[in-house]
Amino acid sequence: MKIIFILFVSTLLLFSKDIALDNLLAEYENSESLYHQTKEESAGHIILFSRADLDKMQAYTLNDVLKTLRMFNIEATRTGMTTLVKSGSNQAALNPVKIFINSQELNSATLGNALTQYGKMGLYFIDHIEVYQAGNSVIFGNEPGGMTIKLYTKEPARENSTSVQASVDTRSSVNLRALDAKVFGDYSYLANVDVRKNNYKTYNTNGYDMSRDGAGGQFYFKFSKKESYDIELGASKEKADSFSGLGNAPVDGFIDTKTLYLQATKHFGNDLNVILSMSHENLDVLNKDAVGITMADGATPKKFETNIGSNVYSAIVEKRLVNGANDLFLGANIKYQKFNVNKYKYDDVTTPKIWGPTELNIYMAYLENLYNINENNLIAFSAKLDHYKNDFSKSSTENILRLGYVSIINNSLTLKLFAMKSYVHPTFRQTTFSPNTNINPDLDSIKNRTLTAEIIYKMDNTTFTINGGESTAKDSIIYNPVLKQYVNKSGTTTFHRGFFRVDHKFDVNNKITLEYFKMFQDVYTSSGEGGLIQLFNKIGKLDIYNELVYRSDYKSSDGINMPAGYDYSLGVIYPINKQLELKLKGENLLDQAHEVPINGVDVPVMERRGLLTMEYTF
């Protein structure tokens, strides 16, 4: 009996030492996290997903993160892809969200919305994600966006290993991922390969099946010389069934997308950087419909084929100057975009069409000055001048002005104030090419004004955040169903928004997030309010994650009443040893996630499924 008691006490002591060691390691990893080096408090209102958060969330794709973002709803589209819609608005509304991998913007000139193209992108090579909302900084460069999503890749020096990950779900989907990172002297590289087969529920409408099953893959490679240069190469391919497509009686169809980008960054001394990049995108579409597809020109072909593509070239020069209390950032950017329509057929017959402008030159100059009044008060001023000119000889000059104030009033209270005058330029999809809408090459930019305020109050291990804002838009771009084209709406549209968030940290491994937001506007065509609950726990060796995403009921633009959405996910991670981890995840377990009506059926982005993943590090 004594021996049993001694063994029990010894085991308990060893177990408690393991937990204490794990807690110390977690605290160290948190203090050394890369986001401490990249986060810009003055750049906007931040939502941060640390590496530990992404791991415990089992966020395998960008969509796993997008669905949690306040003020936005993730939705399925008629063509089986996904998109992010501003809460209260519909999918026809222009949504200027920008996505970057490090400093490389992920363009989608063909679709006009990079989120549609990159929602299924794997995150195995991503260290952390920063989301900047409501009038974010001009230092991110390129054309402006109402929200900027920055994806930062893992550092080879921190990885210095090879790891593989394999997932299978209850719908027989399969995903294989591999990551290799090495450092040798001043040089390093990071390589990622991701291949996947995605299976979804097949819906039936009017006797016709709608499938969005597909397969794809991606590749990322970064080669660097310390404090000298970075070379990044990314490529992806995704082919999937076209779901409902452009008609209402789908017989067959697919969407095949291919992307490629290359970026080279040279780091000179004295905070001077030169960035050269190019990207290529190709979209191949086949759509067959038993009844016929109603096109913008009045034709009703039963078979529609098109192949479109784009090439984007960019050169950026950036310089930072620090003098006393002033931190000045200067930048200049030249960008050239070329759009191509390689094929356009009705019922196997090439159909001649007159398209809008296919070339666009953009010249941008910008600056931001951060003035530290003292160690607790900062004023940020930004200005940007952009000149657009297309091959139809239409040109415009736009500008951005932004003023921000950040004050650490005391150890508990922080205040953020931002005012911004900006714009949104029309896309190729609106001015140049669209099979189901008439193009409008005469569209003007939307003129936006944004005012936001945020108060952050910290009390012991709890942080309270309250935020409110007002946005006005002049010359909004809306879809006119009579003209079947996008037009500028005369007058000014105003809406308000606000959110409240509580973050409580029980200890380094256990925390909870509670969040609620609401949009205030005259008309709602998607969920106008929502909430989020995230619970991170560690019990012994088990990492447990609970998530509930709420979106309110709404009436769609077609007049269909849609119920509220409750997307509940549960994840568990068990480390078998230091090299092997077993992960289980259930998504949309209540089968009540936010849905949109498509051709007579209600469709969520995240269908109910179970997911088993194994990860091995060599």
Side-chain angles (χ1 to χ4, degrees):
M1 188 68 181
K2 286 183 178 180
I3 295 174
I4 294 174
F5 178 74
I6 292 170
L7 288 173
F8 174 76
V9 172
S10 300
T11 302
L12 191 63
L13 287 171
L14 288 172
F15 183 69
S16 63
K17 286 182 179 180
D18 284 342
I19 293 176
L21 186 61
D22 287 343
N23 287 342
L24 286 173
L25 182 60
E27 288 179 0
Y28 173 76
E29 288 177 344
N30 182 60
S31 66
E32 294 295 310
S33 295
L34 281 177
Y35 67 80
H36 292 299
Q37 303 173 22
T38 60
K39 187 172 66 169
E40 298 279 355
E41 289 289 347
S42 63
H45 304 294
I46 306 173
I47 305 173
L48 173 67
F49 298 88
S50 69
R51 178 167 181 173
D53 292 340
L54 295 175
D55 286 344
K56 293 176 182 179
M57 290 169 63
Q58 297 187 48
Y60 299 116
T61 70
L62 185 57
N63 279 340
D64 291 331
V65 173
L66 297 179
K67 71 172 184 174
T68 69
L69 297 182
R70 59 179 177 251
M71 310 296 183
F72 287 87
N73 307 322
I74 188 169
E75 296 184 351
T77 70
R78 289 183 62 90
T79 56
M81 306 176 89
T82 61
T83 189
L84 200 62
V85 177
K86 187 176 291 185
S87 295
S89 301
N90 59 28
Q91 295 182 16
L94 190 59
N95 187 16
V97 176
K98 301 293 180 179
I99 310 175
F100 292 82
I101 293 181
N102 298 323
S103 60
Q104 167 68 32
E105 182 181 359
L106 300 180
N107 296 284
S108 185
T110 54
L111 296 173
N113 182 354
L115 293 171
T116 302
Q117 179 76 297
Y118 292 99
K120 296 177 183 177
M121 181 180 70
L123 300 180
Y124 198 45
F125 67 112
I126 298 300
D127 181 86
H128 66 283
I129 300 175
E130 297 166 7
V131 181
Y132 296 87
Q133 293 187 321
N136 44 76
S137 175
V138 303
I139 63 173
F140 300 136
N142 293 282
E143 302 104 301
M147 180 169 71
T148 298
I149 301 172
K150 298 277 285 183
L151 311 176
Y152 289 95
T153 56
K154 294 176 178 177
E155 283 287 338
R158 293 168 181 251
E159 306 301 316
N160 207 28
S161 63
T162 301
S163 59
V164 293
Q165 195 178 74
S167 299
V168 61
D169 73 9
T170 50
R171 296 189 181 274
S172 300
S173 300
V174 178
N175 197 309
L176 302 174
R177 314 170 189 94
L179 183 76
D180 186 40
K182 292 291 186 294
V183 177
F184 40 99
D186 288 339
Y187 299 90
S188 65
Y189 75 84
L190 176 74
N192 167 242
V193 176
D194 186 321
V195 293
R196 53 190 173 267
K197 174 70 175 74
N198 298 316
N199 296 324
Y200 299 91
K201 174 183 175 181
T202 297
Y203 296 80
N204 186 277
T205 181
N206 303 319
Y208 299 97
D209 288 337
M210 297 193 302
S211 167
R212 48 178 173 166
D213 293 351
Q218 67 186 55
F219 172 75
Y220 175 83
F221 181 77
K222 181 179 180 181
F223 184 83
S224 303
K225 182 179 181 182
K226 188 176 181 180
E227 298 180 354
S228 180
Y229 62 79
D230 302 297
I231 299 173
E232 297 175 78
L233 173 67
S236 67
K237 184 183 187 306
E238 189 87 27
K239 185 176 182 179
D241 298 336
S242 56
F243 205 51
S244 178
L246 301 178
N248 295 316
V251 175
D252 189 18
F254 64 78
I255 296 179
D256 189 357
T257 60
K258 304 179 187 70
T259 65
L260 173 70
Y261 71 83
L262 175 65
Q263 175 171 289
T265 303
K266 174 61 180 175
H267 306 285
F268 295 94
N270 300 319
D271 289 321
L272 175 65
N273 296 320
V274 175
I275 305 171
L276 302 176
S277 66
M278 63 79 62
S279 65
H280 170 75
E281 183 180 23
N282 183 266
L283 183 69
D284 198 31
V285 176
L286 170 67
N287 195 176
K288 292 182 180 180
D289 194 89
V291 176
I293 306 164
T294 302
M295 312 301 281
D297 57 8
T300 56
K302 292 186 176 181
K303 181 180 180 181
F304 170 65
E305 297 173 89
T306 189
N307 182 282
I308 56 177
S310 65
N311 294 294
V312 180
Y313 303 92
S314 174
I316 301 174
V317 178
E318 295 178 338
K319 170 71 175 176
R320 184 179 294 276
L321 299 166
V322 180
N323 182 17
N326 289 283
D327 185 347
L328 179 63
F329 183 91
L330 301 170
N333 183 190
I334 299 175
K335 180 182 283 190
Y336 170 74
Q337 298 180 354
K338 172 65 176 175
F339 183 84
N340 302 296
V341 180
N342 306 312
K343 179 172 65 176
Y344 197 83
K345 289 184 177 182
Y346 293 169
D347 296 323
D348 297 316
V349 178
T350 298
T351 304
K353 298 280 288 185
I354 298 176
W355 306 116
T358 58
E359 296 182 43
L360 181 64
N361 290 282
I362 314 173
Y363 307 91
M364 296 168 271
Y366 45 97
L367 66 85
E368 177 174 273
N369 187 67
L370 305 180
Y371 175 66
N372 293 280
I373 302 172
N374 53 47
E375 62 180 6
N376 293 325
N377 293 273
L378 177 145
I379 294 176
F381 172 75
S382 305
K384 192 167 185 281
L385 190 66
D386 301 338
H387 181 72
Y388 292 79
K389 186 174 182 179
N390 64 33
D391 56 333
F392 275 28
S393 298
K394 178 178 173 62
S395 65
S396 65
T397 300
E398 315 289 353
N399 64 80
I400 299 174
L401 294 173
R402 179 175 180 269
L403 184 64
Y405 174 64
V406 180
S407 176
I408 302 175
I409 299 172
N410 54 45
N411 291 333
S412 300
L413 192 61
T414 300
L415 173 67
K416 287 185 176 184
L417 301 171
F418 295 105
M420 187 169 185
K421 172 182 176 290
S422 187
Y423 72 94
V424 179
H425 195 268
T427 66
F428 275 123
R429 179 171 172 261
Q430 296 165 334
T431 64
T432 300
F433 172 88
S434 181
N436 56 345
T437 64
N438 292 313
I439 60 172
N440 185 357
D442 297 319
L443 279 174
D444 294 322
S445 297
I446 305 171
K447 305 299 189 294
N448 293 327
R449 293 179 185 271
T450 304
L451 294 171
T452 60
E454 183 172 288
I455 297 174
I456 304 170
Y457 178 72
K458 297 181 179 180
M459 182 178 64
D460 297 326
N461 294 322
T462 306
T463 301
F464 301 90
T465 305
I466 185 168
N467 179 295
E470 176 186 271
S471 294
T472 61
K474 184 180 179 182
D475 299 328
S476 297
I477 296 177
I478 63 171
Y479 179 69
N480 186 316
V482 177
L483 299 176
K484 295 183 179 180
Q485 69 176 184
Y486 288 91
V487 298
N488 286 111
K489 177 185 176 182
S490 60
T492 300
T493 303
T494 302
F495 66 90
H496 300 82
R497 60 177 175 263
F499 76 83
F500 179 72
R501 180 181 174 111
V502 180
D503 295 283
H504 179 74
K505 192 174 183 180
F506 301 98
D507 56 47
V508 69
N509 288 311
N510 297 274
K511 64 180 182 178
I512 186 172
T513 294
L514 304 171
E515 185 177 72
Y516 170 79
F517 74 84
K518 183 173 176 57
M519 307 291 283
F520 300 89
Q521 56 194 60
D522 295 333
V523 179
Y524 299 87
T525 50
S526 70
S527 297
E529 61 182 292
L532 173 68
I533 300 175
Q534 291 175 305
L535 181 61
F536 298 83
N537 293 115
K538 190 176 184 69
I539 302 176
K541 287 189 173 184
L542 291 177
D543 277 310
I544 303 172
Y545 174 70
N546 286 270
E547 174 187 280
L548 179 64
V549 179
Y550 161 72
R551 291 296 183 266
S552 64
D553 58 349
Y554 68 99
K555 180 179 287 188
S556 73
S557 53
D558 297 326
I560 300 173
N561 291 314
M562 298 299 297
Y566 301 89
D567 185 356
Y568 172 62
S569 298
L570 170 65
V572 179
I573 302 175
Y574 177 72
I576 296 173
N577 53 48
K578 290 185 178 181
Q579 292 177 294
L580 181 62
E581 281 189 335
L582 180 67
K583 306 181 180 185
L584 291 171
K585 184 182 182 184
E587 296 181 341
N588 189 13
L589 291 174
L590 303 177
D591 201 18
Q592 295 182 28
H594 173 72
E595 297 177 328
V596 292
I598 298 176
N599 198 7
V601 296
D602 299 338
V603 186
V605 169
M606 304 293 183
E607 295 178 345
R608 181 162 60 178
R609 66 168 183 164
L611 188 66
L612 171 64
T613 301
M614 296 188 71
E615 181 174 5
Y616 187 85
T617 301
F618 295 92

